[in-house]
Structures are given as C-alpha cells and as structure tokens.
C-alpha cells in the first residue's frame, strides 16, 4: 500500500508554478505524465488582477489572474500565490521598462 501510494504521488502530483523573466511570464501546470505551459510576453499583458480573502490578507497570499488583449478571461490563473501584489508590481514595472535585465527579481 505504501509503494502504491508513493507511486501515485510521484505520477499524479500536480505542479503549478509561475516563472517571471524580463521578457515573459510562464505558468506550468501538470504532473510527470502530462504538462501544460502557458507563456505570455510582458509587452502583451494588459491586466493583472489580485484577489485576497480574509485569510489571504492575514497570511499574505492571494489569487492572481493575468490577461492579454483579445482574451475572454485570464490566460494565467493561480491560487494561493505568496505576496501576489509584489508579482503584479514586478510585471507592471517590467512592462513599463522600469526594471532592466540586470536586476535581480527575487
């Protein structure tokens, strides 16, 4: 039973993370068996929405939705992101040209 459970966790554990570079925002979702990756150019991002509930405000996490022109909804959406306002501000600073390639985005 332990081996079966361990195998299930390895094969079906869902990964969901966002990578921010100076040129793109990329979300990768999936497991070892299947993955889905969405990349958006910083220049094409029109809206970044942050939603925080009462617990998110207390513990410093929230949901983030990123949209581009012509999309009917959020192209990148992620729940329980630590410090989502910082991610939103970094995206908008990159889009406005206030951050350069040499700056550390940690």
């Amino acid at each position: 039973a332990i081996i079966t459970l361990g195998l299930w966790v390895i094969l079906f554990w869902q990964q969901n993370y966002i990578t921010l570079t100076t040129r793109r925002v990329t979300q990768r979702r999936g497991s070892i068996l299947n993955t889905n990756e969405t990349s958006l150019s910083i220049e094409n991002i029109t809206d970044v929405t942050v939603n925080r509930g009462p617990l998110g405000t207390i513990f410093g996490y929230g949901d983030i939705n990123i949209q581009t022109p012509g999309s009917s909804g959020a192209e990148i959406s992620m729940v329980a992101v630590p410090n989502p306002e910082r991610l939103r501000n970094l995206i908008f600073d990159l889009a406005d040209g206030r951050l350069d390639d040499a700056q550390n985005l940690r």
Side-chain angles (χ1 to χ4, degrees), residues 54-100:
L55 288 177
T57 302
I58 293 169
F59 294 111
Y61 69 89
D63 303 339
I64 193 161
N65 298 306
I66 303 172
Q67 288 183 300
T68 59
S71 64
S72 59
E75 292 195 38
I76 291 180
S77 182
M78 191 167 177
V79 297
V81 176
N83 200 358
E85 287 87 6
R86 183 165 187 263
L87 178 60
R88 179 192 58 209
N89 293 339
L90 283 172
I91 291 169
F92 285 143
D93 286 347
L94 284 167
D96 294 339
R98 286 186 269 180
L99 295 177
D100 60 5

Side-chain angles (χ1 to χ4, degrees), residues 13-70:
W13 183 264
Q14 294 294 310
Q15 296 178 7
N16 189 4
Y17 60 89
I18 292 178
T19 304
L20 176 63
T21 67
T22 57
R23 300 185 198 288
R24 303 195 155 279
V25 177
T26 303
Q27 180 183 30
R28 187 176 179 118
R29 296 177 304 270
S31 64
I32 290 177
L33 297 178
N34 63 345
T35 59
N36 182 5
E37 186 172 292
T38 304
S39 291
L40 303 175
S41 176
I42 293 290
E43 296 90 28
N44 292 337
I45 294 174
T46 57
D47 188 33
V48 179
T49 306
V50 172
N51 297 312
R52 279 191 172 204
L55 288 177
T57 302
I58 293 169
F59 294 111
Y61 69 89
D63 303 339
I64 193 161
N65 298 306
I66 303 172
Q67 288 183 300
T68 59

